[in-house]
Amino acid sequence: MNYNLVEELRWRGMMHDIMPGTEEQLNKEMTTAYVGFDPTSDSLHIGNMVPIILLMHLYKAGHKPIALVGGATGMIGDPSGKSDERNLLTEDILAKNVAGIKRVLSRFLDFNSNAENAPILVNNYDWMKDFSFIDFARDVGKRITVNYMMAKDSVKKRVGEEGVGMSFTEFTYQLIQGYDFYHLHKEHNCLLQMGGSDQWGNITTGTELVRRMNTEQAAKAYAMTCPLITKADGTKFGKTAGGNVWLDADKTSVYKFYQFWFNASDADAEKYIKIFTFLDKETVDGLIAEHNEDPGRRTLQKRLAEEVTTLVHGTEALENALKATQILFGKSTSDDLKQLDEQTLLDVFEGVPQAEIERADIEEGLDMIAALSAKTNFLASNGEARRALKENSVAVNKTKVKEDYKITTDDLINDKFVVIQRGKKKNFLLIVK
């Protein structure tokens, strides 16, 4: 094998539970392993990155990864870590979500590769759709006792004294996920299932089913989980005030994605750079040492944000995000502004005072006093606006202007916006209705 996968995951802080014999199996030969992804949305967010990165490490170590999209299990809903029942998704929404997740996964794993250990993408709906309830109850349900299923944390928390109860539908989830492991074991010689630590119960049900359903021979099946990512301050990882941080630029702009990682605390950045990048130990240790000499330079956060943004969105998108960052915090030009798409521009100037203006005013030519005060109230009075213009401290789209300047349609960014600055730190956004 190219390198010891388990050792690699341990130093990166990506190992939580591992079934005895797993490491020996991985060190012995190319091993097929899978991770499941629930189609609860039509994209994936940064909370899903750890299982994706697990599969990427698996592939780099010479093993064969399978990414399973849960078209069937998504119809039921995984009770793990949930205090109440999930809402059931319609088939149309589910199909859209499955397609979206497949598209995202294909950016990280080459499912068209000709390599011996080429990744495989599967959907459990393909083998569950024709499985009758009676056959499932006979062939699968008979193998696992209710006592065994009740002992799982995901069930105990819901059916205990303080729980809200659990439907039969969600109770069967672990059997269906367990059957996935059996199916992949039989069809692809898949010996290992990986996932987050909250999946340990479901995964071990799978290893048990593999053993019990292979009556003719002693079948081997293994389990390995990674820790759920937490933030040093105790708040939930992957969430911002605006919601999830997504891996699709149309849901979370590349600028906002970059800023999420750049704004990580020192403690979090030190943890994240091991988990979310493929930088080797020597490089990571060097970056941590350099950062600790002068934390104010944010060496760790910059490298973390650059590496993860490049991994998810590519080099060109990173460069655009860096240019967008410079617009607020560094030197940039009118041309830089005009290259921003609408969403990135709104993200960059989020929280900046904004005012709407009629298109007719711009077409006629909007004078600077009106733009700064009379029509917008950006500045307290017309007098303050005149003083600012006399001081040569006003810029339109990063270009200094005088009192006689008129804002016209030529100044519009994306045919809709004008950025006005007073001095270096005060920014205003004009939005044309």
Side-chain angles (χ1 to χ4, degrees):
M1 295 288 84
N2 298 352
Y3 60 71
N4 185 316
L5 177 66
V6 174
E7 275 183 18
E8 180 75 14
L9 296 178
R10 276 202 183 107
W11 85 258
R12 289 183 181 277
M14 295 178 73
M15 180 64 64
H16 191 269
D17 286 311
I18 183 166
M19 193 171 273
T22 305
E23 186 168 4
E24 291 78 1
Q25 170 60 37
L26 288 164
N27 289 338
K28 184 174 76 172
E29 61 190 353
M30 184 181 87
T31 302
T32 302
Y34 93 97
V35 173
F37 297 87
D38 249 358
T40 50
S41 170
D42 63 352
S43 182
L44 295 172
H45 51 75
I46 57 174
N48 304 117
M49 274 190 74
V50 179
I52 293 172
I53 286 171
L54 272 179
L55 288 174
M56 293 171 79
H57 276 298
L58 187 88
Y59 181 69
K60 280 166 69 78
H63 302 292
K64 189 174 184 71
I66 298 178
L68 180 149
V69 181
T73 33
M75 289 182 164
I76 290 172
D78 184 0
S80 301
K82 297 284 179 286
S83 57
D84 50 22
E85 289 278 321
R86 290 190 183 212
N87 292 325
L88 295 177
L89 301 172
T90 66
E91 286 197 36
D92 287 349
I93 290 173
L94 209 56
K96 178 174 173 268
N97 291 356
V98 167
I101 289 171
K102 284 181 173 180
R103 179 179 42 76
V104 175
L105 289 171
S106 299
R107 284 162 35 200
F108 300 94
L109 296 159
D110 181 7
F111 298 111
N112 298 315
S113 165
N114 294 318
E116 186 188 0
N117 65 327
I120 302 173
L121 181 63
V122 296
N123 179 353
N124 61 8
Y125 184 72
D126 293 339
W127 58 84
M128 291 303 299
K129 67 178 186 289
D130 298 322
F131 210 154
S132 77
F133 177 74
I134 290 173
D135 287 341
F136 188 81
R138 280 179 63 90
D139 298 345
V140 183
K142 192 75 174 166
R143 314 280 178 170
I144 300 285
T145 66
V146 169
N147 308 52
Y148 179 88
M149 294 170 72
M150 292 285 287
K152 302 292 183 183
D153 284 343
S154 60
V155 177
K156 275 198 292 194
K157 285 174 185 167
R158 291 271 292 277
V159 298
E161 288 178 18
E162 294 175 19
V164 295
M166 176 182 267
S167 67
F168 176 75
T169 303
E170 285 199 2
F171 185 59
T172 60
Y173 185 95
Q174 61 173 292
L175 281 184
I176 299 176
Q177 184 173 328
Y179 183 79
D180 287 342
F181 199 170
Y182 167 76
H183 175 87
L184 294 175
H185 184 277
K186 185 177 69 169
E187 297 296 325
H188 298 283
N189 193 31
C190 179
L191 301 183
L192 170 64
Q193 186 182 353
M194 305 184 295
S197 57
D198 60 339
Q199 288 293 308
W200 183 255
N202 289 343
I203 294 173
T204 51
T205 298
T207 61
E208 203 58 34
L209 263 182
V210 169
R211 292 190 191 101
R212 293 184 187 185
M213 290 183 74
N214 281 286
T215 48
E216 293 148 29
Q217 59 190 49
K220 291 183 286 187
Y222 303 98
M224 185 165 77
T225 60
C226 57
L228 298 179
I229 307 300
T230 54
K231 288 171 72 175
D233 64 5
T235 57
K236 190 167 182 181
F237 169 77
K239 293 265 189 189
T240 65
N244 285 324
V245 179
W246 296 93
L247 304 183
D248 272 323
D250 60 349
K251 287 181 181 284
T252 299
S253 71
V254 182
Y255 167 79
K256 260 198 166 164
F257 186 86
Y258 176 89
Q259 289 296 320
F260 172 83
W261 301 101
F262 182 75
N263 290 325
S265 69
D266 289 352
D268 286 336
E270 189 170 324
K271 180 165 76 170
Y272 297 165
I273 203 157
K274 296 172 186 171
I275 295 170
F276 293 99
T277 79
F278 291 88
L279 298 172
D280 60 35
K281 192 171 189 306
E282 189 180 344
T283 305
V284 168
D285 289 345
L287 284 165
I288 292 169
E290 186 185 339
H291 179 87
N292 289 339
E293 284 174 18
D294 184 3
R297 289 180 61 202
R298 299 182 76 73
T299 303
L300 266 183
Q301 286 90 339
K302 279 179 189 166
R303 187 64 182 273
L304 169 70
E306 286 171 9
E307 291 287 329
V308 185
T309 305
T310 302
L311 173 66
V312 174
H313 295 291
T315 311
E316 190 180 331
L318 168 68
E319 286 168 5
N320 291 336
L322 291 172
K323 279 182 191 169
T325 303
Q326 287 298 312
I327 282 165
L328 266 193
F329 307 112
K331 291 180 180 176
S332 60
T333 65
S334 177
D335 285 343
D336 292 333
L337 264 181
K338 286 178 177 173
Q339 283 173 21
L340 296 182
D341 61 81
E342 181 173 333
Q343 190 54 56
T344 302
L345 185 129
L346 287 170
D347 286 343
V348 169
F349 291 101
E350 188 178 35
V352 160
Q354 300 178 3
E356 286 194 338
I357 203 109
E358 296 294 336
R359 182 166 284 275
D361 291 331
I362 297 288
E363 286 170 349
E364 288 169 15
L366 184 69
D367 71 79
M368 290 311 299
I369 303 299
L372 284 167
S373 178
K375 292 258 185 187
T376 64
N377 294 320
F378 287 151
L379 299 183
S381 66
N382 290 355
E384 189 182 344
R386 284 195 181 88
R387 280 194 300 278
L389 288 157
K390 282 196 172 78
E391 290 163 5
N392 198 30
S393 68
V394 175
V396 170
N397 295 340
K398 297 286 181 178
T399 303
K400 287 282 177 72
V401 296
K402 303 282 188 192
E403 190 175 338
D404 60 357
Y405 189 82
K406 285 193 184 314
I407 295 173
T408 68
T409 51
D410 291 341
D411 294 303
L412 293 180
I413 303 165
N414 289 311
D415 198 38
K416 192 174 181 181
F417 304 103
V418 180
V419 175
I420 301 176
Q421 272 177 299
R422 160 76 192 283
K424 286 184 178 177
K425 293 188 176 174
K426 280 190 179 173
N427 289 281
F428 310 103
L429 187 64
L430 267 185
I431 302 173
V432 178
K433 285 199 283 187

